[in-house]
Amino acid sequence: MRAFEYVSPTRKEQVATLLGGNGAILAGGTDLLALMKDDVVSPARLVNIKQLSSLRGISYQPGNGLRIGALTTIAELADATRDLAMYPALLEAANEAASPQIRNLATIGGNMCQRPRCWYFRNGMGLMPTAPDGKSMVVEGDNRYAAILGNFGPAYFVSPSTLAPVLIAYGAKIRLYAANGSGSGVRELPLENFFIIPRMTNGLEHDLKPGEMVIEIVVPPPAQNLRAATYEVRQRAAFDWPLVQACVALEMDGNTVKSARVVLGQVAPIPWRALGSEQALAGNRVTPETVAEAAKAAVARARPLSHNKYKIALTKVAIRRAILSAQSAGSGGAA
Ligand SMILES: Cc1cc2nc3c(=O)[nH]c(=O)nc-3n(C[C@H](O)[C@H](O)[C@H](O)COP(=O)(O)OP(=O)(O)OC[C@H]3O[C@@H](n4cnc5c(N)ncnc54)[C@H](O)[C@@H]3O)c2cc1C
């Protein structure tokens, strides 16, 4: 590992200045330190944010919903959502992510900002690896885990977080903070807008401006008739990322779906809103036909590569199972 400076500020106002041009925020370190050891990234300074008490804590308020401080660990998130019993899909995703040891260290802020698991990227070839002949190494090479959706540009990696798709299905917002020469401020945006598909080799997959950090995620109170679930298709029961994930949040009106949010993970460079599936469900009863229609609509525009066509079938299965699981789970909504 290359030499680096280490600082541990106690006020969030100090972070942007300390980051300077080539610093990196250190939270649980479960992703960043691995990337540094592999020399994929080499920040000149690590800014440890774990002394910032205002980024800690997880709490629920009936009017405002669930506030998850950026330093909340995945284990703490699982404990809190288990006690609350209002966000069953979030609890499930938190329980499934990584291993107990990693869940004890990994923070929700770091989870949103973790870098893609693409083999080419992890081997130092960049997010959009290109061969000397100008062709994409992913398209020409081993693309079995690559994107099948949102791959219209040069990005073929998949967004790694399994918590982000669930949070987006619940309509979460992310709050970012930066202090710089012109002052300090909080920027709030729908979590789905935080993830972007980069078009340039040096582009990032998050809308994090220089000096900004994640301070919290806010999940609105679930509607009384909201039924949500996540379904992960895994190669095996182990602490690895799933091959495909589908998250659904169905607002029911009796037996009819009033509105639906369907978000896919591990299929695109961002958590992918399956708008076609949402339209297929809205205004309809959950029947085998509508479920099949929703599954089909999700992959209507998929562009599989040479080795990942199997993800189309898995996506349809994941959507079907997530919908059926949401339907049988009952309402986790606010009473
Ligand atoms: C074996 C293994 C299995 C895993 N399985 C899963 C899985 O199934 N699902 C899943 O979602 N994840 C999985 N992960 C990833 C894990 O959840 C992330 O590594 C972790 O959440 C990152 O959080 P951290 O606090 O350790 O971040 P760090 O490693 O400290 O940071 C990660 C990145 O985020 C940045 N960062 C951290 N905090 C902030 C902040 N507040 N504001 C701005 N930038 C910030 C850092 O600069 C860095 O770029 C797995 C990891 C491992 C090693």
Side-chain angles (χ1 to χ4, degrees):
M1 196 192 262
R2 291 174 198 261
F4 58 87
E5 291 178 15
Y6 176 85
V7 287
S8 210
T10 50
R11 292 186 302 115
K12 67 179 188 303
E13 291 77 11
Q14 300 169 297
V15 172
T17 310
L18 289 170
L19 283 170
N22 188 20
I25 289 176
L26 174 70
T30 59
D31 189 32
L32 180 60
L33 296 181
L35 286 167
M36 289 172 69
K37 284 180 195 166
D38 291 342
D39 209 17
V40 177
V41 299
S42 47
R45 177 184 288 164
L46 289 192
V47 181
N48 169 34
I49 57 169
K50 288 192 288 297
Q51 305 291 329
L52 304 179
S53 52
S54 63
L55 271 57
R56 292 197 177 276
I58 175 165
S59 58
Y60 181 82
Q61 284 187 335
N64 301 327
L66 186 65
R67 174 209 166 263
I68 312 169
L71 288 174
T72 305
T73 64
I74 300 178
E76 289 166 345
L77 176 65
D79 287 347
T81 45
R82 187 179 303 108
D83 292 348
L84 261 178
M86 289 169 76
Y87 300 94
L90 192 51
L91 169 61
E92 197 175 342
N95 273 336
E96 289 284 317
S99 65
Q101 292 87 345
I102 292 166
R103 292 198 290 270
N104 280 335
L105 278 175
T107 66
I108 188 83
N111 188 275
M112 297 301 109
C113 301
Q114 63 173 303
R115 307 301 311 275
R117 306 306 301 181
C118 166
W119 289 343
Y120 295 93
F121 172 69
R122 295 272 157 177
N123 280 289
M125 292 170 215
L127 270 184
M128 279 153 259
T130 311
D133 61 5
K135 289 186 178 160
S136 164
M137 293 165 85
V138 184
V139 174
E140 301 291 311
D142 189 338
N143 48 46
R144 74 186 102 157
Y145 302 122
I148 55 167
L149 289 159
N151 56 0
F152 35 77
Y156 293 97
F157 62 84
V158 297
S159 179
S161 172
T162 53
L163 297 176
V166 184
L167 288 163
I168 292 170
Y170 276 117
K173 294 196 166 133
I174 189 165
R175 304 189 84 214
L176 310 163
Y177 173 87
N180 51 40
S182 54
S184 63
V186 173
R187 187 162 70 98
E188 180 180 282
L189 60 161
L191 182 58
E192 63 186 290
N193 295 353
F194 178 65
F195 297 97
I196 46 181
I197 303 180
R199 302 297 174 102
M200 317 278 277
T201 324
N202 56 358
L204 273 183
E205 64 280 14
H206 313 116
D207 180 20
L208 204 57
K209 313 271 186 251
E212 256 183 349
M213 67 178 160
V214 179
I215 53 168
E216 61 188 22
I217 308 276
V218 182
V219 196
Q224 194 165 6
N225 296 324
L226 193 81
R227 292 169 186 221
T230 178
Y231 191 89
E232 298 179 3
V233 185
R234 288 176 177 266
Q235 205 155 24
R236 56 187 178 274
F239 48 90
D240 204 352
W241 283 259
L243 296 167
V244 167
Q245 177 189 22
C247 313
V248 300
L250 310 176
E251 195 181 343
M252 303 299 293
D253 181 3
N255 289 327
T256 303
V257 178
K258 195 169 151 198
S259 67
R261 284 169 78 91
V262 180
V263 189
L264 303 173
Q266 317 295 324
V267 295
I270 51 174
W272 189 258
R273 275 287 290 277
L275 298 174
S277 307
E278 296 179 2
Q279 280 159 14
L281 289 163
N284 290 312
R285 293 166 78 95
V286 180
T287 62
E289 290 75 29
T290 41
V291 174
E293 199 50 48
K296 198 170 126 198
V299 290
R301 297 204 180 153
R303 287 196 340 163
L305 304 178
S306 51
H307 300 293
N308 67 4
K309 284 197 187 68
Y310 73 95
K311 280 197 172 188
I312 292 187
L314 292 196
T315 303
K316 292 205 262 184
V317 168
I319 289 188
R320 274 204 297 270
R321 295 197 180 171
I323 294 172
L324 296 177
S325 165
Q327 199 193 19
S328 59
S331 171

